[in-house]
Amino acid sequence: MLKTQSIDPAALDMLKKAAADGIETVWDRYEAQQPQCGFGSLGICCRHCIQGPCRIDPFGQGPSRGICGATADVIVARNLLRQVAAGASAHVDHAYDAVEALELAAQGKINYPIADEHKLRAIASGLGLDATGEDLNALALEVVKVAYADMGNHSRKPMQWLTAHAPKERLAVWESLGILPRNPDREIREALHQTTMGMDADPVNLLLAAAKQGLVDGYAGLKLATDMQDILFGTPAPVVTEANLGVLKADYVNLIVHGHVPLLSEKIVHWAKALAGEAEAVGAKGIQVAGVCCTGNEVLMRQGVPLATNYLAQELALVTGAVDAMVVDVQCIMPSLAQVASCYHTELITTMPIVKIPGATHIPFSLERADEAAQEIVRKAIAAYAKRDPRKVRIPDHRSTIMAGFSVEAITGALAQLDAEQPLKPLVDNIANGNILGVVATVGCNNVKVTQDIFHVEMVKELLKNNVLVVATGCSAHALAKAGLMNSEGTGQYAGPTLKAVLSAVGQAAGLGAPLPPVLHMGSCVDNSRIGDLVTAIAAYLGADTSALPVAASAPEPQHEKALSIGTWAVAMGITTHLGVVPPVLGSKQVTELLTDGLTGVIGGKFYVETDPVQAAQGLIADIRAKRQALGLTN
Ligand code: BF8
Ligand code: SF4
């Protein structure tokens, strides 16, 4: 059992309440699963055909091949490819919904006005379209046409969303490896095919196919979703609010949005404001919306909605007894929420045709009836407020001030105060002179195998102390927000001296009157595309390959298949990518070696696994120093 479940004081408080209230949590279920299956942990079991299941004996005493003859190397590589493809499928499905929304919005068929003309024109012109016309809807439909052409591409040409946005040097590398994706759906289908019984038995070929899935994820998932969402809802700009369960309010209707796609949560935020009077009519002071997981990050970035908590504490949000409704869309939603909600007055509301949970209320959400569904959901929360039992309510008094909203546009906007002509120059100059040693992106989840948030927070503190600038997304961003690493005081407390000086200078120039936070919140997991865009822009400014930059990535506590896909994309971008939890690959020496070293020579990036936070920071710093040295920069 873990010594401590979490370092988040609000979560620890709610765990005590959960025990007192007789609520089972993810940590109880984790304990009940011990010991976890060794074959599964090593990745050496196969269920790809019904002659199996087959498993390989890791000690060399029993079978070394499955019934069909597949070796441990083949089984591990096939399993990994399927996981990466599954993660990519989640992001591409998300992006597809956003493309469809932009299409229907531009056709005037749904009530989603286009919010960001500037982003629309920028994307259109990047795709080689004439972006100067007056008619925004017509332009949006042109952009949609390109996205749909990728989704339905029957030719052998690579996806245009990728060729238009990826670094040119990388395109050449991917082409030489034969991993340029054509049509995301086709590639995901091919990965499933390639891993069925009696197909690919070459671990190298299977891992290159995984790299291709990483590119599907990066460009047809992350990048496409973010671009569409920015056009529809606006590109984030700095906002200030708070994070952690203390943002819930005893005398307000508390409505939590949980999941990933902002198409629903944006409407909830709108209608929660519009229907505040109805909440007052039942005796509440108003409606407090707060976010869990990535939809929380989406509405934080664009609307300044506070963050409730991240993945591992989603049940604990309900244990406060103060949540009147939790509405979910897709991904990372624990089925156990229905059981927890049933112990309180909380309405758990599912909305999507592919996410139904017995015990939850299902209110179908569609783009066409988005406003009606959102009103119905907000009214359900208001009605539930009257049923709240004050004796069951305890809101932990923990919250941290955060500044978020750091899109690439917001970052370059702040830097433009120092150099209007070349906004990236101040950043690049400070990296070159060593004031900023390098940049690390911390991304991804919580994983119950790790004390909640500890890896994110401990590793990032070590990086900051060494003058490494940190940008964050996903549940990593939640963790760092809760720990006070996303406000100006955090800069004073945790940033090394030269990093502090740079953040102070930029903060002053941008008119904040205080330093920029030491960790820049760049959004949800699909917003890892923003980090990709920033890296791409810096590489272009320097005329260098992304693999040469003193930049690294880390998923300190990954749990989801999506985290593996994002990590694979980062590696394909040539970036060293740390994982703080060992993925199920150790059953194959060959696959492990290829992922952490063997493929670096051809692709530029590599996975780096280290399960101690401070060691991991040191490893990333060593990697950054090696890249600096290769660029001829001082350390
Ligand atoms: O897409 S970080 S636990 S919420 S998978 Fe899930 Fe992982 Fe959180 Fe966001 Ni990303
Ligand atoms: Fe066993 Fe091969 Fe079937 Fe996998 S594909 S279950 S290894 S026989």
Side-chain angles (χ1 to χ4, degrees):
M1 194 194 143
L2 289 169
K3 270 202 233 93
T4 332
Q5 290 102 326
S6 179
I7 58 162
D8 171 356
L12 290 172
D13 187 11
M14 285 304 98
L15 273 163
K16 282 194 207 124
K17 183 168 186 293
D21 290 358
I23 307 287
E24 178 192 275
T25 68
V26 60
W27 288 276
D28 300 315
R29 294 187 298 273
Y30 173 61
E31 209 179 329
Q33 286 290 338
Q34 300 311 310
Q36 287 176 286
C37 171
F39 297 100
S41 304
L42 295 171
I44 45 177
C45 59
C46 178
R47 295 190 300 120
H48 290 197
C49 88
I50 47 181
Q51 298 174 97
C54 298
R55 51 195 204 178
I56 306 301
D57 183 348
F59 304 109
Q61 312 284 319
S64 59
R65 287 176 183 268
I67 291 164
C68 66
T71 60
D73 299 328
V74 174
I75 291 174
V76 168
R78 278 198 310 216
N79 287 342
L80 182 67
L81 174 52
R82 279 213 173 176
Q83 286 196 292
V84 175
S89 79
H91 286 140
V92 175
D93 219 23
H94 173 159
Y96 190 92
D97 281 349
V99 176
E100 197 180 25
L102 182 60
E103 180 190 30
L104 294 172
Q107 290 168 340
K109 291 184 180 162
I110 56 172
N111 183 25
Y112 284 82
I114 291 172
D116 196 336
E117 174 182 345
H118 182 76
K119 184 86 176 209
L120 171 61
R121 291 192 192 280
I123 295 291
S125 105
L127 292 169
L129 302 169
D130 174 5
T132 57
E134 285 287 294
D135 187 341
L136 279 192
N137 288 331
L139 186 60
L141 287 174
E142 287 294 307
V143 168
V144 164
K145 212 159 112 187
V146 176
Y148 277 155
D150 277 350
M151 299 282 184
N153 178 12
H154 302 300
S155 78
R156 292 183 182 169
K157 282 200 216 118
M159 291 175 342
Q160 208 183 327
W161 222 268
L162 179 147
T163 51
H165 298 117
K168 299 295 162 260
E169 291 80 3
R170 287 280 103 192
L171 283 175
V173 172
W174 300 332
E175 186 171 20
S176 73
L177 293 172
I179 60 169
L180 277 172
R182 301 150 297 186
N183 154 339
D185 293 347
R186 180 175 179 187
E187 304 304 352
I188 291 165
R189 181 213 313 150
E190 190 174 271
L192 289 177
H193 180 195
Q194 190 172 355
T195 51
T196 57
M197 188 269 145
M199 288 291 292
D200 205 344
D202 178 352
V204 174
N205 205 39
L206 285 160
L207 292 185
L208 286 173
K212 191 201 269 190
Q213 292 298 317
L215 298 179
V216 169
D217 192 67
Y219 292 99
L222 316 180
K223 174 75 179 143
L224 184 57
T226 302
D227 287 345
M228 295 290 114
Q229 291 169 183
D230 278 358
I231 293 171
L232 275 170
F233 302 120
T235 302
V239 287
V240 176
T241 180
E242 291 178 320
N244 215 341
L245 290 174
V247 303
L248 300 175
K249 293 192 184 131
D251 41 10
Y252 278 62
V253 172
N254 290 309
L255 203 175
I256 285 190
V257 291
H258 174 15
H260 283 80
V261 186
L263 296 169
L264 165 67
S265 49
E266 281 279 336
K267 287 289 183 191
I268 300 277
V269 172
H270 170 82
W271 283 105
K273 280 188 200 137
L275 298 178
E278 293 187 20
E280 286 162 19
V282 299
K285 287 195 177 147
I287 302 175
Q288 177 66 56
V289 180
V292 166
C293 285
C294 278
T295 216
N297 286 323
E298 296 281 359
V299 288
L300 161 73
M301 293 287 283
R302 298 194 183 85
Q303 310 292 347
V305 169
L307 294 175
T309 196
N310 49 357
Y311 166 76
L312 212 47
Q314 57 186 274
E315 296 167 308
L316 300 180
L318 304 190
V319 173
T320 61
V323 177
D324 302 299
M326 176 184 265
V327 55
V328 302
D329 51 45
V330 292
Q331 302 167 18
C332 301
I333 300 149
M334 291 188 194
S336 60
L337 288 172
Q339 215 186 343
V340 182
S342 73
C343 299
Y344 302 95
H345 71 297
T346 309
E347 280 279 357
L348 177 69
I349 302 167
T350 55
T351 53
M352 296 295 162
I354 56 170
V355 185
K356 295 193 178 181
I357 303 176
T361 304
H362 190 74
I363 299 181
F365 172 84
S366 67
L367 293 166
E368 289 79 3
R369 61 177 300 277
D371 289 288
E372 289 88 329
Q375 287 175 72
E376 199 182 334
I377 290 162
V378 173
R379 291 203 167 104
K380 270 241 178 290
I382 295 171
Y385 175 79
K387 296 185 215 145
R388 199 192 285 176
D389 180 352
R391 288 165 307 174
K392 286 191 174 177
V393 173
R394 187 161 94 222
I395 299 174
D397 190 19
H398 296 287
R399 55 194 168 277
S400 302
T401 301
I402 58 168
M403 179 180 279
F406 291 99
S407 57
V408 176
E409 292 83 345
I411 293 172
T412 48
L415 292 169
Q417 305 301 321
L418 297 170
D419 188 332
E421 290 293 299
Q422 294 177 294
L424 287 176
K425 190 168 183 292
L427 177 63
V428 169
D429 286 353
N430 276 297
I431 294 175
N433 66 21
N435 284 339
I436 297 176
L437 190 69
V439 183
V440 170
T442 70
V443 309
C445 325
N446 293 133
N447 182 320
V448 68
K449 292 175 176 173
V450 180
T451 298
Q452 185 195 13
D453 296 348
I454 197 170
F455 211 130
H456 298 285
V457 172
E458 294 303 313
M459 185 188 76
V460 166
K461 283 182 183 169
E462 184 69 17
L463 291 170
L464 295 175
K465 198 165 81 183
N466 286 280
N467 300 303
V468 174
L469 177 66
V470 176
V471 298
T473 57
C475 286
S476 184
H478 277 264
L480 301 167
K482 288 187 287 178
L485 290 160
M486 286 191 181
N487 56 41
S488 300
E489 294 72 48
T491 310
Q493 210 173 335
Y494 301 110
T498 53
L499 175 64
K500 198 183 297 179
V502 176
L503 293 170
S504 302
V506 180
Q508 292 300 343
L512 297 177
L516 280 185
V519 179
L520 303 181
H521 192 325
M522 293 191 74
S524 64
C525 285
V526 297
D527 290 339
N528 283 313
S529 64
R530 301 190 196 282
I531 300 173
D533 285 349
L534 188 59
V535 170
T536 303
I538 294 173
Y541 174 81
L542 292 171
D545 182 32
T546 44
S547 67
L549 302 178
V551 169
S554 169
E557 303 173 19
Q559 62 88 5
H560 205 280
E561 287 166 322
K562 292 178 287 173
L564 290 178
S565 322
I566 296 168
T568 306
W569 172 54
V571 170
M573 290 287 278
I575 290 170
T576 298
T577 302
H578 163 254
L579 301 174
V581 177
V582 187
V585 299
L586 294 186
S588 164
K589 266 206 190 94
Q590 187 188 3
V591 170
T592 305
E593 195 279 328
L594 284 165
L595 292 172
T596 55
D597 187 27
L599 284 176
T600 315
V602 291
I603 212 155
K606 62 172 183 243
F607 280 106
Y608 158 54
V609 178
E610 170 55 60
T611 56
D612 176 83
V614 174
Q615 292 290 327
Q618 291 304 339
L620 292 172
I621 289 168
D623 192 80
I624 284 171
R625 286 194 195 279
K627 295 210 169 159
R628 293 183 65 89
Q629 199 164 12
L631 286 170
L633 301 175
T634 55
N635 279 310

